[in-house]
Amino acid sequence: MHDEKRSGGLLAQLRRPPGGRDGRIMLLVQFLDRLGTGVWAAASVLYFTFVSHLDAGQVGLLLGVAAVAGIAGSPIAGQLAERYSARTLLMWCHLLRLGTMLLLLVSRDFAALLAVMAVTCLAERGAKTLEMLFATRATDGQRTTYRALARTAMNAGYAVGAGLAAIGLAIGTTAAYQALVLANALSFAVTAALVARTGEQRPDPAPAASEPSVGREASGSSPWRDRGYLRFVLLDVPMSLDDSVLGVGLPLWLITSTDAPHALAPAFLVLNTVLVVVLQLRISGWAEGPRRATAAVTLNGLAMLAGCALLAFGTGGGAWSASIVLLCSALLVSGAELMRSVSSWELAVSLAPERSRASYLGVAGMAQSAQKALGPLLITGAVITAGPLGWLALGGGIAGLSVLQRRGCERRLARMPDLAAGSPAATEGAAAGARS
């Protein structure tokens, strides 16, 4: 029955996604949210340069500080979701982003812009954590399938948003840049209204007093005292560097160290988007459940090692050979991202005790926030500066850490009550329980 349901393909899954009506609404919310974000991401640097009249150093500082501020958004949202409705919190996150985008239009002072962007990133990361929590609570046994559909919707939204931004950037006037900011703000207004139409997402119920613990390390209700879970989150930061490699590393390496044509750079994003649409559902089906998700962790590390090794050894030829190697590397890194997106999502939920899942997922969301803040600095300041050895060190380091993360996850899963018996029957029962 499960295989028949999946065999319907992407369109069938989009018509009848996990979560029913709420699932459909939330997929539309994520599409529209990322559409607006795609518009802003493509235009932000030029907006700050030509409309706000900031120099390059100020723009870099502004975006860096905002990204660091965003790291706090995930745990704050997770902690609040232990007490309040996830739907209400998500609505306020979108409305807060609406307000900051409108303030951006009238802010000219650098300090004011810094505060506006810090709050924007804080609300953005909080919203992403709440979306993750919504899927965990509302999609029952199909959260991995929902995650695949959500990534497809989000990638499509980014692509459409970037296309819309290209129109405004081609016009290049102050009014055109401001129109792009308003388009982003409008997306938050619409998404807040759509979230209001979903069912109420109540906090997870407290367990009975007799409910067994997932292990001595998780005996407390706070993820900050759970060393095993914190190790998982810490290792998830370097495991998420595929994002910075695709968005920063490959384009800069193309420009600075190869003879490949500069026009090839957008192809990395296009290739990544196509692979997500074509393969995400299939890979999510293969990696469903905590046991398979741990196997995907190692595959993520191996794919990153192969992609980085290609960059180290294969881009020293002419334009054609360098172009082929760069595209192959982008293919491997995109494959690593597909594996990581599934394993990180599944394990963040499966390794968390149900009684405190919201706050645990808030801490897990910090891995992506930290990677977005620190990843570009690592790629530009260390990897590319070191040349081929830098790429080898990056790929080898991620591959080694993937082995550590897999072993740590396997040990923690073995201590989970449903998996303690270690038999095939127990494993199947635990996988089913983890989907609920």
Side-chain angles (χ1 to χ4, degrees):
M1 179 72 175
H2 190 62
D3 291 337
E4 291 175 3
K5 194 169 186 178
R6 184 177 291 122
S7 66
L10 176 62
L11 291 178
Q13 291 282 8
L14 287 172
R15 284 194 291 267
R16 292 185 293 276
R21 173 180 174 273
D22 284 355
R24 286 193 296 272
I25 292 175
M26 284 302 297
L27 288 175
L28 179 59
V29 165
Q30 289 174 292
F31 171 80
L32 293 174
D33 180 349
R34 273 46 170 200
L35 187 154
T37 302
V39 169
W40 174 240
S44 58
V45 171
L46 294 178
Y47 179 89
F48 289 131
T49 300
F50 295 113
V51 178
S52 301
H53 303 294
L54 303 182
D55 59 38
Q58 288 177 312
V59 172
L61 180 62
L62 180 70
L63 297 179
V65 170
V68 171
I71 296 175
S74 294
I76 291 174
Q79 194 64 41
L80 289 173
E82 294 282 1
R83 298 184 177 185
Y84 305 105
S85 160
R87 182 188 71 170
T88 301
L89 292 171
L90 184 55
M91 286 171 53
W92 277 109
C93 281
H94 289 312
L95 290 174
L96 184 57
R97 295 160 80 190
L98 167 63
T100 57
M101 284 296 103
L102 295 178
L103 283 174
L104 188 65
L105 293 172
V106 297
S107 299
R108 293 293 179 267
D109 180 69
F110 178 73
L113 290 170
L114 195 64
V116 166
M117 291 308 300
V119 174
T120 300
C121 287
L122 191 77
E124 177 186 354
R125 298 311 304 178
K128 290 185 177 181
T129 294
L130 293 166
E131 290 169 354
M132 184 178 181
L133 182 60
F134 169 90
T136 302
R137 290 175 174 172
T139 57
D140 195 33
Q142 296 177 277
R143 64 170 176 260
T144 306
T145 300
Y146 177 87
R147 172 63 173 171
L149 293 172
R151 290 203 73 236
T152 302
M154 289 186 290
N155 273 269
Y158 275 123
V160 173
L164 292 175
I167 299 174
L169 297 178
I171 298 173
T173 63
T174 297
Y177 286 120
Q178 291 173 333
L180 294 178
V181 175
L182 284 173
N184 191 23
L186 178 62
S187 74
F188 299 140
V190 176
T191 52
L194 288 171
V195 170
R197 298 181 58 192
T198 63
E200 192 77 7
Q201 292 293 309
R202 296 291 181 183
D204 295 321
S210 60
E211 182 179 331
S213 169
V214 298
R216 184 169 53 195
E217 294 182 17
S219 58
S221 60
S222 171
W224 300 107
R225 295 195 296 268
D226 188 341
R227 291 173 296 172
Y229 199 83
L230 289 176
R231 281 195 297 270
F232 162 75
V233 175
L234 182 62
L235 289 172
D236 214 35
V237 177
M239 296 300 296
S240 302
L241 282 170
D242 51 78
D243 180 66
S244 292
V245 171
L246 279 169
V248 179
L250 282 171
L252 282 180
W253 189 251
L254 180 154
I255 293 170
T256 61
S257 303
T258 77
D259 293 325
H262 293 184
L264 183 68
F268 304 144
L269 177 60
V270 173
L271 178 63
N272 177 262
T273 301
V274 171
L275 287 175
V276 169
V277 172
V278 173
L279 296 178
Q280 187 69 77
L281 268 175
R282 188 177 299 275
I283 290 177
S284 297
W286 170 80
E288 189 170 11
R291 291 298 188 186
R292 290 182 176 179
T294 57
V297 171
T298 306
L299 293 177
N300 174 8
L302 292 175
M304 284 296 293
L305 175 58
C308 291
L310 274 179
L311 293 176
F313 295 118
T315 53
W320 277 104
S321 63
S323 298
I324 293 171
V325 168
L326 284 165
L327 288 173
C328 289
S329 180
L331 182 68
L332 287 165
V333 176
S334 295
E337 181 195 0
L338 290 169
M339 292 292 177
R340 186 262 306 164
S341 66
V342 173
S343 61
S344 179
W345 159 267
E346 180 65 34
L347 291 171
V349 177
S350 298
L351 299 178
E354 186 174 356
R355 64 186 179 277
S356 305
R357 184 169 285 168
S359 57
Y360 270 71
L361 293 182
V363 171
M366 293 178 65
Q368 274 292 310
S369 303
Q371 186 281 138
K372 287 184 177 297
L374 303 176
L377 296 176
L378 174 66
I379 297 296
T380 57
V383 175
I384 291 181
T385 301
L389 287 178
W391 286 115
L392 286 177
L394 179 67
I398 292 174
L401 292 175
S402 72
V403 175
L404 290 178
Q405 189 180 52
R406 175 175 179 169
R407 289 177 178 175
C409 291
E410 287 174 341
R411 286 195 297 268
R412 186 176 174 92
L413 287 170
R415 292 196 297 271
M416 302 285 282
D418 291 333
L419 299 179
S423 65
T427 300
E428 292 174 4
R435 298 184 195 116
S436 62

